[in-house]
Amino acid sequence: AARTRLETIAWVQRAHIERRLPDKFKARAPKLWRDANAHGSFENSEQVIASGDMFMVNAKDNLEYTATAAGALQLAKQFSLLLKESPQKIVKEIQSTGGPLATPVSTFIDKARPTKSFYKISVANQISLADIQLLSRHLIYWRRAIAIPPLHHRDTYIVSPNADMSKLVEASKSFEMAFPMMPSLPRILSLLSQTPAPFGTLIPSSDHKGEYYRVLAWLMRGGWVTQLRTF
């Protein structure tokens, strides 16, 4: 199948990296299945996963992947991208390094919103979904972003069990500088530690929604909160 220009660039870069890696560091998952008995090994009674059957969430980086017939793993189109630093800083760093992806990545960063899924960004800006997913994977690989479900006031967020409370005092100062008109960081975390409820219950009015979304992004970026997901 013909590749787009961005796909070709990524393929060349990946091939260049793989040529330098010893075989013991290369791996491919030839088969995915539903581990119904949680034994960690495939049994004939268990179902092999085909393309589009399900998604997986990586417990280490919280990224969601979909299974494909080719065995490759792609970021789900329902996910969004959360930048780990300011867009201006990331764009400046990427442009300073040059490279064929510098311009498209910078353009994408300008369009990316943690409240919008890859699919919605694609439709709204007439950018190929495949290109958005490709650029997102690069930003994640460069540790400039993380993939998350789009932030939404109807979703529920709780204090992360992995939050490093030893950094609370220092983080509180940074939070106050970023959001001087908001309740303190300890107060926000205290509210999110109570009986789980949609995030919108913390927002006083529709006029405050944008600022509270920025607060939520800050909390997610710092690992202070995580989304409570039920299945």
Side-chain angles (χ1 to χ4, degrees):
R3 294 190 180 95
T4 66
R5 181 172 178 271
L6 288 178
E7 289 172 334
T8 301
I9 292 171
W11 182 85
V12 171
Q13 290 179 338
R14 184 170 64 249
H16 176 67
I17 293 171
E18 289 183 351
R19 281 199 299 269
R20 296 183 298 170
L21 288 175
D23 288 340
K24 65 180 180 180
F25 291 121
K26 301 177 185 178
R28 181 183 297 274
K31 181 185 295 183
L32 296 175
W33 72 92
R34 289 186 174 90
D35 191 12
N37 56 20
H39 285 173
S41 60
F42 176 70
E43 298 180 6
N44 291 333
S45 61
E46 295 175 327
Q47 180 184 357
V48 175
I49 298 168
S51 177
D53 274 355
M54 69 169 293
F55 65 84
M56 300 185 300
V57 176
N58 186 325
K60 183 176 181 180
D61 56 20
N62 201 36
L63 303 188
E64 183 172 320
Y65 302 91
T66 53
T68 71
L73 294 175
Q74 304 289 334
L75 287 170
K77 67 179 182 180
Q78 297 87 356
F79 256 40
S80 181
L81 200 70
L82 177 62
L83 299 177
K84 297 182 72 174
E85 298 177 302
S86 71
Q88 297 80 5
K89 181 178 180 181
I90 295 175
V91 168
K92 183 177 180 179
E93 291 175 348
I94 292 175
Q95 290 182 342
S96 67
T97 60
L101 286 178
T103 297
V105 167
S106 299
T107 301
F108 169 57
I109 286 176
D110 183 57
K111 308 294 184 183
R113 299 291 184 274
T115 54
K116 302 294 183 182
S117 68
F118 297 138
Y119 177 75
K120 288 186 176 181
I121 294 172
S122 171
V123 172
N125 298 281
Q126 298 184 332
I127 304 174
S128 162
L129 177 61
D131 286 349
I132 287 177
Q133 291 170 318
L134 171 66
L135 297 172
S136 297
R137 287 197 298 272
H138 276 281
L139 286 166
I140 293 167
Y141 177 77
W142 294 333
R143 300 182 183 276
R144 297 295 188 274
I146 57 175
I148 61 169
L151 303 179
H152 200 281
H153 65 276
R154 287 197 293 268
D155 288 330
T156 300
Y157 301 87
I158 60 174
V159 175
S160 171
N162 297 319
D164 188 353
M165 293 301 171
S166 68
K167 298 181 179 179
L168 181 58
V169 173
E170 180 181 354
S172 296
K173 296 177 182 178
S174 299
F175 183 87
E176 185 177 3
M177 290 180 63
F179 308 103
M181 304 303 293
M182 296 292 293
S184 67
L185 177 57
R187 177 57 179 164
I188 293 287
L189 295 180
S190 175
L191 293 172
L192 293 173
S193 298
Q194 298 175 13
T195 303
F199 184 72
T201 60
L202 272 66
I203 304 176
S205 70
S206 58
D207 294 337
H208 295 82
K209 184 178 292 185
E211 187 72 353
Y212 270 77
Y213 273 139
R214 285 187 285 274
V215 167
L216 181 56
W218 191 97
L219 295 170
M220 293 283 289
R221 189 179 297 119
W224 293 103
V225 303
T226 187
Q227 183 182 347
L228 180 62
R229 308 183 73 184
T230 56
F231 299 92

